[in-house]
Amino acid sequence: MPKVVIDESRCKGCGLCTIACARGLITLSEKLNKMGFQPAVMTPEALEACTSCALCAQMCPDVAITIYRQVKTDGPAHKA
């Protein structure tokens, strides 16, 4: 499952997420979306390098970015 999902149909191409990403993993697409904007995109390699910090999603004024984090489990729960 990808760590970052960008809803290209909601993205207006403002570029705030590209600035917010400390690793520079988000770029603006060469192609236009249905609304005529260049949406933000991530390559598969960029998705692998993503740390799911969520700064891009926090900066997005259109709520076009969703972050998924993997929940780490240490095994079965222990009773105290």
Side-chain angles (χ1 to χ4, degrees), residues 2 8 10 17-20 32 45 60 63 65-67 76-77:
E8 293 182 20
R10 295 187 69 165
C17 58
T18 65
I19 297 166
L32 301 178
E45 296 80 19
C60 182
V63 194
I65 302 173
T66 304
I67 306 297

Side-chain angles (χ1 to χ4, degrees), residues 48-79:
E48 287 294 320
C50 177
T51 61
S52 299
C53 71
L55 290 176
C56 57
Q58 291 174 10
M59 288 297 292
C60 182
D62 298 308
V63 194
I65 302 173
T66 304
I67 306 297
Y68 293 94
R69 293 185 178 151
Q70 186 174 9
V71 177
K72 293 183 181 181
T73 59
D74 295 330
H78 293 82
K79 292 184 180 180

